């Protein structure tokens, strides 16, 4: 099998034994180093946003993500572009698992310092809801630029490459998108005019 598939053909799922065999042929140190160097800072910042600023947990999430990538090294290329969305999906799923585990954990077992974070969640949820509503007022082009630059933490050059447009156009779109978002938030009373 040459790795390319014709549209409409079925996807074959390799066995775990095959995956372990292929992963054993990949240089572990190089693979992990490539992931940390290319994606580590981006993935940590992404996890920190999802974890409301918890850097320590975000670093744990990065380590677990890298471990899972290593388990699938036979199918992933640390330098290939297809690994980036896979890594972001793994981080997101691990954060969701973390939030679910915290919800299951009984309140009386929570440390006292965690109680403040529990009570602050309502305000953050309401703010998130208002921001999502405001984003719906923007064009798809504006939402895409905001998602790339502010949510995923892409640089202007990375966003330009992803969108296939010049860096100057990305800067301009970003400026106008943020101005439109500010107006939408002011309209909803979240920001003062």
């Amino acid at each position: 099998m040459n790795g390319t598939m014709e549209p409409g053909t079925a996807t074959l799922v390799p066995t775990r034994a095959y995956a372990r065999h292929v992963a054993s042929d990949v240089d572990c140190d190089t693979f992990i180093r490539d992931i940390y160097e290319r994606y580590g800072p981006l993935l940590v910042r992404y996890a920190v946003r999802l974890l409301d600023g918890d850097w320590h947990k975000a670093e744990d999430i990065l380590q677990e993500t890298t471990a899972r990538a290593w388990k699938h090294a036979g199918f992933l290329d640390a330098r290939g572009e297809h690994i980036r969305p896979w890594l972001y999906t793994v981080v997101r799923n691990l954060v969701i698992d973390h939030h679910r585990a915290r919800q299951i954990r009984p309140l009386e077992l929570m440390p006292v310092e965690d109680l403040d974070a529990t009570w602050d969640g309502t305000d953050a949820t309401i703010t998130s809801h208002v921001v999502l509503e405001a984003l719906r007022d923007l064009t798809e082009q504006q939402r895409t630029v905001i998602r790339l630059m502010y949510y995923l933490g892409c640089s202007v050059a990375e966003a330009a490459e992803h969108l296939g447009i010049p860096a100057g156009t990305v800067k301009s779109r970003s400026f106008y998108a943020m101005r439109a978002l500010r107006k939408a938030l002011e309209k909803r009373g979240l920001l003062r005019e």
Side-chain angles (χ1 to χ4, degrees):
M1 193 160 106
N2 63 6
T4 60
M5 295 183 59
E6 295 297 321
T9 60
T11 304
L12 298 175
V13 179
T15 64
R16 288 180 190 248
Y18 174 76
R20 279 193 297 272
H21 168 71
V22 173
S24 67
D25 292 340
V26 178
D27 180 19
C28 175
D29 292 335
T30 303
F31 183 81
I32 291 174
R33 188 175 26 257
D34 285 347
I35 289 175
Y36 270 95
E37 288 174 1
R38 292 191 69 180
Y39 306 107
L42 296 172
L43 294 172
V44 168
R45 284 196 310 257
Y46 176 59
V48 165
R49 280 193 295 268
L50 296 175
L51 293 163
D52 298 323
D54 187 347
W55 281 92
H56 296 292
K57 186 62 184 172
E59 289 170 352
D60 292 343
I61 295 284
L62 175 61
Q63 288 178 357
E64 179 61 27
T65 301
T66 306
R68 291 186 183 194
W70 171 241
K71 286 181 185 176
H72 296 89
F75 305 105
L76 298 172
D77 175 12
R79 295 201 171 269
E81 287 304 312
H82 69 279
I83 193 172
R84 183 176 173 154
W86 187 90
L87 291 169
Y88 275 95
T89 301
V90 171
V91 168
R92 182 178 171 273
N93 290 341
L94 289 170
V95 170
I96 289 170
D97 290 346
H98 169 72
H99 286 305
R100 285 180 180 158
R102 290 191 51 93
Q103 287 175 344
I104 293 171
R105 186 175 171 194
L107 187 60
E108 61 270 10
L109 296 179
M110 280 186 163
V112 175
E113 60 270 7
D114 286 353
L115 290 176
D116 288 336
T118 303
W119 300 118
D120 290 343
T122 303
D123 190 38
T125 301
I126 292 170
T127 302
S128 295
H129 180 71
V130 172
V131 170
L132 287 173
E133 264 185 25
L135 283 168
R136 287 188 193 110
D137 289 355
L138 293 133
T139 66
E140 181 61 34
Q141 186 181 70
Q142 291 169 329
R143 283 192 300 267
T144 300
V145 168
I146 288 174
R147 183 176 59 246
L148 286 171
M149 295 188 66
Y150 299 99
Y151 186 68
L152 295 177
C154 292
S155 67
V156 172
E158 290 172 330
E161 182 181 334
H162 178 78
L163 295 171
I165 59 176
T169 305
V170 171
K171 289 178 185 178
S172 176
R173 285 185 187 178
S174 173
F175 172 79
Y176 289 110
M178 291 306 291
R179 191 166 81 174
L181 179 59
R182 181 172 183 81
K183 286 181 182 179
L185 292 171
E186 286 171 353
K187 185 173 82 173
R188 288 169 173 75
L190 193 62
L191 296 176
R192 293 186 186 139
E193 294 182 34

